[in-house]
């Protein structure tokens, strides 16, 4: 014990070499359009290449450095301009620097004493997000992803209506009913299961052709369930659509929902860069909002904010237990800065840091311009899809989602055939397999209701150019031509 158990000098030398690998393989090649999006390997082949077995003895520096290269080289390059598969596409260098800082600091922003900078930073970022939503005050916390933020909202909604649920559980409560859009995110069902509400008590409300909840159908469903179970139904949690509808489309319809049986309403939104009164929609009637900057803002996984209009300490009352080894009341500083007890988590990542760095780098206007560019790219792609033979829109997009089918020449003119839609549903999966094996790009597909598999294109990466969008359509056409 007289000497350190770590070789500090060797460790720093190793890190310097790893940083060079990160810069070359993880940043430069990841964002280089001439590189493959992925170097596809079958699972067995990949296991052999990586040598995943963990052994009794460690390996030398050169072998470890090669391991680092292999991890980056054989992983999907989500920062690539032709990676359209998920909403977290793209790579922002400032946000990545924030992620490096977060990992290096290796602390949890649950108390001011262990994370003074990060606690103050988190509060500032949450306040700014609330301001952009349209609230002059309120509360909030960062959570590990949008699904968990949604579940926090459901838990807080139940606690607000039934405070005794915290101590007694669901035993003494009436049968709870949870009302959500047909297009609601699957985290609603997961949350109902996790919170003991039960998935059978999630009632999905009919939507219109744009994916917006129909207020009259909500009222009908509420009355139907009340008559069926003979008890009140709470909470009411409308949620933005998962896909293919765009996030704002359902949200813009929510404020007109009549006689909502609870005050907990939350949805996703694009990043506003104007004053709240000039936004595409203003969710100021909501009591809670889930916002994922790791998507459209390219902050990097993960960064999800759960925002509350309430400023009475609802989060603390709902989740806090005052663990005495962390949240002592007799500390020498203002203990209101020990915000970690507001979350069900103990250890938490400082996810606000990377957003703060990015925001400092480009400003609110710069973030807004990124959103405008994404909208412009979607409009351009829409025009091209309408012009090209063999491409057919699933629906006219309102915002960022572009959903379409590619109809191979062999199927054109057969729309009246009973087998047409069954055959068309196999086209998107076949094209996607080809593009992934080739490594040229990635894009998602899905069925929806009675609609068979279609491509769902969402552009969030500001590195995407017109050439990338033209390539995207050309590649689908080329890969699907002979199907």
């Amino acid at each position: 014990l007289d000497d350190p158990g770590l070789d500090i000098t060797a460790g720093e030398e190793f890190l310097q070499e790893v940083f060079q690998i990160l810069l070359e393989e993880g940043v430069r090649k990841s964002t280089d359009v001439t590189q493959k999006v992925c170097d596809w390997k079958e699972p067995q082949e990949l296991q052999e290449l990586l040598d995943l077995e963990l052994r009794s003895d460690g390996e030398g520096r050169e072998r470890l450095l090669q391991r680092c290269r292999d991890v980056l080289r054989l992983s999907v390059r989500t920062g690539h301009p032709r990676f359209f598969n998920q909403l977290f596409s793209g790579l922002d260098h400032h946000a990545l620097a924030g992620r490096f800082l977060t990992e290096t600091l290796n602390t949890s922003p649950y108390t001011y004493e262990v994370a003074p900078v990060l606690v103050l930073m988190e509060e500032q970022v949450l306040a700014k997000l609330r301001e952009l939503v349209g609230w002059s005050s309120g509360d909030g916390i960062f959570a590990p992803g949008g699904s968990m933020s949604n579940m926090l909202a459901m838990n807080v909604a139940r606690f607000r209506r039934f405070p005794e649920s915290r101590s007694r559980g669901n035993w003494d409560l009436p049968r709870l009913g949870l009302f959500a859009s047909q297009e609601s995110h699957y985290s609603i069902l997961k949350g109902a299961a996790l919170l003991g509400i039960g998935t059978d008590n999630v009632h999905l409300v009919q939507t219109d052709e744009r994916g917006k909840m129909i207020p009259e159908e909500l009222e009908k469903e509420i009355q139907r369930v009340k008559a069926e179970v003979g008890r009140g139904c709470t909470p009411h949690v409308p949620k933005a659509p998962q896909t293919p509808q765009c996030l704002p489309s359902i949200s813009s319809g929510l404020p007109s929902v009549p006689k909502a049986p609870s005050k907990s309403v939350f949805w996703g939104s694009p990043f506003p860069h104007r004053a709240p009164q000039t936004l595409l929609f203003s969710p100021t009637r909501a009591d809670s909002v889930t916002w994922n900057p790791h998507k459209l803002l390219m902050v990097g996984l993960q960064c999800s904010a759960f925002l509350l209009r309430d400023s009475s300490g609802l989060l603390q009352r709902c989740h806090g237990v005052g663990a005495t080894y962390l949240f002592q009341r007799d500390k020498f500083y203002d203990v209101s800065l020990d915000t970690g007890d507001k979350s069900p988590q103990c250890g938490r990542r400082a996810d606000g840091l990377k957003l703060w760095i990015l925001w400092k780098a480009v400003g609110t206007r710069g973030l807004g311009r990124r959103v405008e560019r994404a909208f412009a790219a979607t409009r351009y792609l829409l025009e091209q899809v309408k012009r090209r033979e063999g491409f057919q829109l699933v629906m006219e997009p309102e915002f960022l989602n572009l959903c379409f089918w590619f109809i191979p020449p062999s199927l054109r003119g057969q729309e009246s055939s009973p087998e047409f839609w069954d055959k068309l549903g196999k086209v998107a999966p076949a094209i996607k397999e080809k593009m992934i094996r080739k490594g040229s790009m990635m894009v998602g597909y899905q069925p929806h209701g009675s609609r068979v598999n279609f491509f769902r294109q969402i552009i969030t990466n500001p590195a995407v150019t017109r050439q990338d969008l033209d390539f995207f359509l050309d590649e689908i056409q080329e890969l699907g031509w002979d199907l």
Side-chain angles (χ1 to χ4, degrees), residues 358-414:
L358 172 60
W359 212 320
K360 281 289 190 180
V362 304
T364 307
R365 289 190 180 90
L367 292 173
R369 283 192 291 271
R370 290 188 177 184
V371 176
E372 290 175 343
R373 183 182 175 89
F375 278 59
T378 301
R379 288 192 297 269
Y380 174 79
L381 199 62
L382 172 62
E383 293 169 1
Q384 296 303 309
V385 165
K386 287 182 175 180
R387 289 172 51 187
R388 293 192 179 215
E389 185 179 6
F391 289 83
Q392 180 178 325
L393 285 174
V394 175
M395 65 180 68
E396 192 79 20
E398 285 187 356
F399 292 98
L400 292 177
N401 279 329
L402 187 67
C403 304
F404 64 90
W405 290 288
F406 175 70
I407 305 174
S410 63
L411 293 181
R412 294 173 195 174
Q414 300 183 29

Side-chain angles (χ1 to χ4, degrees), residues 4 37 48 74 77 151 164 174 180 188 212 223 234-235 260 269 303 338 385 392 414 429 463 466 482:
V37 173
E48 292 173 359
L74 296 171
R77 293 184 167 119
M151 294 179 200
E164 65 272 24
I188 300 299
K212 297 179 181 179
Q223 296 306 321
T234 54
S269 73
C303 188
D338 290 353
V385 165
Q392 180 178 325
Q414 300 183 29
R466 183 181 287 106
D482 295 329

Side-chain angles (χ1 to χ4, degrees), residues 309-384:
R309 187 210 299 261
D310 180 274
S311 57
S312 69
L314 185 61
L315 267 176
Q316 178 68 35
R317 297 197 306 276
C318 181
H319 298 129
V321 295
T324 56
Y325 76 100
L326 283 176
F327 306 112
Q328 305 92 336
R329 307 305 299 172
D330 55 358
K331 291 180 178 180
F332 63 93
Y333 59 84
D334 180 2
V335 294
S336 67
L337 294 171
D338 290 353
T339 56
D341 214 17
K342 295 190 296 186
S343 170
Q345 296 173 258
C346 181
R348 284 195 304 121
R349 290 174 54 88
D351 289 324
L353 170 55
K354 54 197 171 188
L355 177 54
W356 183 85
I357 289 281
L358 172 60
W359 212 320
K360 281 289 190 180
V362 304
T364 307
R365 289 190 180 90
L367 292 173
R369 283 192 291 271
R370 290 188 177 184
V371 176
E372 290 175 343
R373 183 182 175 89
F375 278 59
T378 301
R379 288 192 297 269
Y380 174 79
L381 199 62
L382 172 62
E383 293 169 1
Q384 296 303 309

Side-chain angles (χ1 to χ4, degrees), residues 156-223:
V156 169
R158 178 177 61 179
F159 174 79
R160 183 174 183 177
R161 178 63 179 84
F162 296 106
E164 65 272 24
S165 64
R166 174 185 160 110
S167 56
R168 301 179 189 174
N170 290 333
W171 293 98
D172 292 335
L173 303 184
R175 181 175 175 180
L176 302 181
L178 196 155
F179 297 83
S181 158
Q182 280 182 335
E183 306 299 333
S184 60
H185 193 263
Y186 68 92
S187 59
I188 300 299
L189 288 170
K190 284 193 172 186
L194 182 67
L195 297 174
I197 295 171
T199 57
D200 288 349
N201 295 313
V202 176
H203 308 285
L204 301 181
V205 180
Q206 186 176 344
T207 59
D208 63 19
E209 68 280 359
R210 305 301 312 168
K212 297 179 181 179
M213 182 185 287
I214 302 173
E216 294 77 13
E217 293 299 321
L218 170 62
E219 186 66 23
K220 287 180 185 178
E221 186 66 9
I222 292 170
Q223 296 306 321

Side-chain angles (χ1 to χ4, degrees), residues 191-266:
L194 182 67
L195 297 174
I197 295 171
T199 57
D200 288 349
N201 295 313
V202 176
H203 308 285
L204 301 181
V205 180
Q206 186 176 344
T207 59
D208 63 19
E209 68 280 359
R210 305 301 312 168
K212 297 179 181 179
M213 182 185 287
I214 302 173
E216 294 77 13
E217 293 299 321
L218 170 62
E219 186 66 23
K220 287 180 185 178
E221 186 66 9
I222 292 170
Q223 296 306 321
R224 185 192 69 78
V225 173
K226 279 187 175 182
E228 180 180 303
V229 302
R231 299 179 183 179
C233 302
T234 54
H236 164 63
V237 190
K239 176 64 178 68
Q242 178 182 7
T243 50
Q245 284 76 9
C246 70
L247 292 177
S249 65
I250 185 93
S251 310
S252 58
L254 284 175
S256 64
V257 173
K259 302 178 183 178
S262 166
K263 302 280 277 186
S264 180
V265 183
F266 52 91

